[in-house]
Amino acid sequence: MRILVTGASGLLGLNLALEANASQYGGHSEHTVIGVVNSHRLFTQAFEVIQADLLAPGALESLIDKTQPDWIFNCAALAIVDECEANPDLAKKLNVELPRKLATIVARGGARLVHISTDSVFDGQVGSYVEEDHPNPLNVYARTKLAGEQAVAEADPYAIIARVNLFGWSLTGKRSLAEWFYSNLIQGSPILGFTDVYFCPMLVNDLAQVLFRMAALGLNGLYHVASPKCTSKYGFGVAVARQFGLDDRLISPVSISESDLKVVRSPRLTLRCDKLVQALGGPLPDWESGLSRFFELYRQGYTQALHNMAR
Ligand SMILES: NC(=O)c1ccc[n+]([C@@H]2O[C@H](COP(=O)([O-])OP(=O)(O)OC[C@H]3O[C@@H](n4cnc5c(N)ncnc54)[C@H](OP(=O)(O)O)[C@@H]3O)[C@@H](O)[C@H]2O)c1
């Protein structure tokens, strides 16, 4: 299989590209993996790296023509809530127009697409959302991600669209909530943990494996892909502290209403994944086992190895 990963310098894309050859993807153990980066430099022998601004005219067409992928995992996005609010045009280009173009090219034949979306398409007033529930995005990021889902589904009904939430180690050390808790706690910095914001994050390495299994099974359409257990952001921070033997008293339990966050966020982003569990024939990995593996990866030098890729 030839696997093309867009956003390969990002939190999901990098870990997914690294996991590809560790997976039992379609019964094969070896795949040709090609990762696309844009502004970041990435040095690795684990997969081929291509630098491309996918918003440049003709860049996407030429990339696909050159790489001839069997599967494309679209992890490129503008995924930072505040940046989307500040640059709504860029958010639209990356989160809506790029996926639409990708799905349109893929629908002509030759490749299959896995497009990544987010739990944030919901307003988080109720929680326990299933795929059929009505989305109600609250900010530019969420609105553009929902529009991206719709654009992909229209252009390529065979695409997998995965609504995810994730944590893990990243190239920059700054892309996930777990990294944020870890880096503040290790420096002894006091921080806030929201007691009234809930989510169901999955370790990015586990998430990658689930996405590969979905692809191997030939699934299509919209799926929720999240941890079967959920927690508050505060509870997650305390668990990170305890996992690393750090002082959880540095985390103050507060309401999000006490924070200085400017962009409105959904408070209860808990997803039900029954559709996927049924399709896979077994349970999904939960965040607690993911956190143990997050720690194990750290102990094995994975964190530093990722940072070294940025040199
Ligand atoms: N992180 C989360 O907590 C979270 C939660 C729910 C859903 N998601 C979804 O998961 C997906 C991956 O998110 P992430 O956190 O891994 O994102 P990320 O770390 O911010 O990475 C974004 C990637 O997009 C690439 N990119 C940006 N502009 C590009 C361009 N013009 N051409 C080519 N590539 C470009 C970036 O490349 P450069 O950095 O090299 O420019 C980077 O590799 C997104 O769809 C996001 O909405 C993420």
Side-chain angles (χ1 to χ4, degrees):
M1 287 283 177
R2 293 178 64 77
I3 301 173
L4 179 65
V5 182
T6 65
S9 46
L11 173 61
L12 177 55
L14 177 55
N15 286 283
L16 186 130
L18 292 170
E19 285 285 333
N21 275 329
S23 80
Q24 295 306 305
Y25 184 79
H28 296 267
S29 57
E30 289 293 320
H31 306 286
T32 302
V33 182
I34 304 141
V36 186
V37 302
N38 177 36
S39 59
H40 280 96
R41 301 189 75 194
L42 180 66
F43 302 90
T44 178
Q45 302 298 318
F47 56 88
E48 184 188 340
V49 178
I50 292 180
Q51 194 283 327
D53 173 1
L54 295 179
L55 297 181
L60 193 58
E61 292 84 348
S62 126
L63 174 75
I64 292 172
D65 198 42
K66 194 161 83 181
T67 56
Q68 295 288 311
D70 299 299
W71 278 94
I72 302 171
F73 291 81
N74 182 31
C75 306
L78 191 62
I80 299 172
V81 171
D82 291 341
E83 286 187 15
C84 288
E85 217 67 27
N87 296 296
D89 289 344
L90 183 61
K92 191 173 171 206
K93 281 183 187 146
L94 277 167
N95 295 345
V96 189
E97 300 311 331
L98 179 64
R100 187 201 307 281
K101 202 164 163 191
L102 195 48
T104 305
I105 296 171
V106 163
R108 288 186 203 132
R112 294 284 315 272
L113 174 64
V114 179
H115 173 66
I116 306 301
S117 189
T118 174
D119 52 0
S120 300
V121 296
F122 295 109
D123 59 20
Q125 293 304 310
V126 184
S128 295
Y129 295 105
V130 294
E131 287 80 352
E132 292 74 27
D133 283 329
H134 186 68
N136 183 28
L138 298 183
N139 53 44
V140 171
Y141 168 65
R143 275 195 290 279
T144 56
K145 290 300 293 184
L146 178 62
E149 287 184 0
Q150 290 161 347
V152 168
E154 270 166 32
D156 178 16
Y158 292 102
I160 293 174
I161 299 170
R163 286 184 183 149
V164 305
N165 194 297
L166 56 140
F167 67 96
W169 298 111
S170 67
L171 188 68
T172 58
K174 293 179 181 159
R175 282 298 297 127
S176 82
L177 186 67
E179 290 177 308
W180 181 78
F181 277 119
Y182 167 75
S183 56
N184 279 288
L185 293 167
I186 196 91
Q187 290 168 41
S189 307
I191 40 175
L192 306 180
F194 303 139
T195 51
D196 49 3
V197 179
Y198 292 86
F199 69 148
C200 321
M202 191 181 283
L203 178 70
V204 65
N205 310 77
D206 290 340
L207 174 60
Q209 294 301 337
V210 172
L211 293 171
F212 291 135
R213 282 168 63 202
M214 292 169 70
L217 281 171
L219 303 184
N220 54 65
L222 179 64
Y223 283 88
H224 287 179
V225 190
S227 159
K229 292 182 187 169
C230 302
T231 178
S232 69
K233 302 256 167 154
Y234 171 72
F236 186 70
V238 169
V240 171
R242 293 186 182 157
Q243 182 69 67
F244 283 84
L246 299 168
D247 185 358
D248 61 38
R249 291 167 305 178
L250 287 165
I251 311 171
S252 300
V254 294
S255 164
I256 191 167
S257 60
E258 294 172 56
S259 80
D260 57 3
L261 290 177
K262 290 183 183 64
V263 183
V264 62
R265 285 158 166 87
S266 311
R268 190 170 283 272
L269 286 178
T270 53
L271 301 186
R272 285 183 54 181
C273 304
D274 309 37
K275 181 180 174 188
L276 180 57
V277 168
Q278 195 168 6
L280 295 180
L284 293 169
D286 64 53
W287 71 266
E288 287 172 332
S289 62
L291 191 54
S292 306
R293 190 169 166 214
F294 180 73
F295 179 63
E296 214 33 59
L297 287 166
Y298 170 82
R299 281 180 12 112
Q300 290 164 3
Y302 184 78
T303 314
Q304 194 55 49
L306 294 197
H307 297 171
N308 290 345
M309 290 180 190
R311 258 187 279 179

